[in-house]
Amino acid sequence: LVLYSVEIDNRGGTVGTAALMTDTLPATLTYVPGSLTASAGTVVETSAPQLTWRGTVPAGQAVTVAYQAGAGI
């Protein structure tokens, strides 16, 4: 099992609104349903293996998106 963690960092001076992140897992990995989480915003796993996060990132702050995947699960 592999834990992926992505940090979306806003180093600017204004709020990052309507931010979007998508990640598509390679065919060799299987997403673990229900493992997609975020410290803020909304996560969407219904199109797995494409995973999506949407939200706002305040100025000078970060949002962490995490999920699990594995081979042969």
Side-chain angles (χ1 to χ4, degrees):
L1 213 55
V2 178
L3 173 64
Y4 286 90
S5 181
V6 178
E7 185 174 274
I8 303 160
D9 192 15
N10 181 355
R11 296 182 184 192
T14 59
V15 174
T17 59
L20 173 68
M21 181 211 76
T22 60
D23 191 14
T24 302
L25 277 68
T28 55
L29 292 177
T30 301
Y31 168 69
V32 175
S35 69
L36 180 60
T37 62
S39 58
T42 303
V43 294
V44 179
E45 65 179 10
T46 54
S47 297
Q50 180 176 329
L51 307 174
T52 303
W53 170 87
R54 288 183 180 90
T56 297
V57 184
Q61 296 187 28
V63 172
T64 301
V65 178
Y67 61 89
Q68 296 178 348
I73 57 170

